[in-house]
Amino acid sequence: MSNLSSPYAGIFFDLDGTLADTAPDLVAATNKLLIARNLAPKPYEFLRPYASAGARGLLEGAFGISPDHADFIPLRDEFFSNYEKALLVESKLFDDMHHLLDAMDQANLPWGIVTNKSHRFTNPLVELMSLSHRSVATVSGDTTPYSKPHPEPILHAARVANIDPTKSIYVGDDIRDILAGKAAGMKTVAAAYGYCGCKEPPEAWGADFVINNPLDLMQIIFPNRE
């Protein structure tokens, strides 16, 4: 592994549904809202795709409401409270992701995290997962004035890491990740193993690559490996 070399200067990941499988705890926080109102919890597989859009998506899936609904803000705040108390119960890196991260670390290929998740949740979660000291830049949805699909969070991460974005890759499980990565000048990878909550399939997002497993990224970032 130590002899691996890459044509890329850095790799940046979305967090929820790409780097880590956080849907179990996000869905649990959502179903707690339903149970508190004597409503039946939604099946995990039903709510999983909505996790890609965070609280907005999960509240839409559970209650059928959008951010302009009168009940949205109080429900969102209660959801945040539920989730903050149980960030890392069942959440974990996706299978084989730790092998990929280990390979990049051993090859001295820097990697970072760019998520739309608020730093209120991102920072403690990344710390609890023992990733904070490994990520060269961790950018949340409220780190800059913008969130994806705007490219600024990704460009900010590249600046923090002192990495040329045009020589980097952004990996995500939602079309907004691909739009943001392209706008930042990066090569883009659609993580088809993730939540993929939008209507179009990953193959239709216009990404440079589509992967079905984290280890598929190895062939892209280390094309000359034996």
Side-chain angles (χ1 to χ4, degrees):
M1 287 291 190
S2 59
N3 294 323
L4 289 175
S5 62
S6 176
Y8 298 101
I11 314 296
F12 295 92
F13 296 91
D14 172 51
L15 180 56
D16 301 280
T18 301
L19 189 67
D21 187 6
T22 56
D25 293 331
L26 289 164
V27 169
T30 307
N31 275 330
K32 193 173 180 180
L33 297 175
L34 291 165
I35 293 167
R37 289 157 178 78
N38 296 314
L39 299 170
K42 299 287 187 181
Y44 171 76
E45 289 302 329
F46 173 78
L47 284 180
R48 183 182 187 268
Y50 289 98
S52 182
R56 175 177 56 80
L58 288 162
L59 291 179
E60 178 188 346
F63 294 94
I65 64 172
S66 58
D68 57 359
H69 192 282
D71 293 336
F72 181 84
I73 296 299
L75 278 170
R76 184 200 64 185
D77 290 347
E78 188 178 338
F79 166 82
F80 283 164
S81 179
N82 291 345
Y83 183 52
E84 192 168 36
K85 294 171 184 173
L87 282 172
L88 193 64
V89 178
E90 295 184 46
S91 296
K92 61 183 179 65
L93 290 178
F94 275 101
D95 291 343
D96 294 323
M97 181 59 75
H98 65 286
H99 293 305
L100 174 65
L101 297 182
D102 286 348
M104 290 192 293
D105 286 348
Q106 291 172 28
N108 293 315
L109 178 61
W111 60 270
I113 299 167
V114 184
T115 175
N116 275 358
K117 202 183 197 78
S118 166
H119 78 278
R120 170 183 174 185
F121 310 110
T122 302
N123 293 356
L125 180 59
V126 170
E127 181 71 31
L128 287 167
M129 298 188 82
S130 300
L131 298 176
S132 57
H133 65 290
R134 300 174 67 183
S135 170
V136 294
T138 299
V139 175
S140 299
D142 51 359
T143 301
T144 77
Y146 305 96
S147 58
K148 298 174 294 181
H150 197 285
E152 178 55 25
I154 297 177
L155 292 171
H156 179 73
R159 288 194 297 268
V160 169
N162 195 28
I163 292 172
D164 183 349
T166 66
K167 297 179 180 177
S168 303
I169 285 179
Y170 188 66
V171 188
D173 71 314
D174 191 278
I175 191 170
R176 68 172 169 266
D177 297 319
I178 305 307
L179 293 172
K182 282 184 170 296
M186 293 189 180
K187 291 290 187 181
T188 55
V189 177
Y193 59 83
Y195 305 146
C196 304
C198 54
K199 294 179 181 178
E200 300 85 0
E203 292 77 14
W205 298 349
D208 295 290
F209 307 95
V210 178
I211 59 173
N212 295 303
N213 180 285
L215 284 185
D216 292 344
L217 192 60
M218 290 280 285
Q219 300 169 7
I220 299 167
I221 62 177
F222 300 121
N224 298 318
R225 71 190 181 107
E226 295 181 359

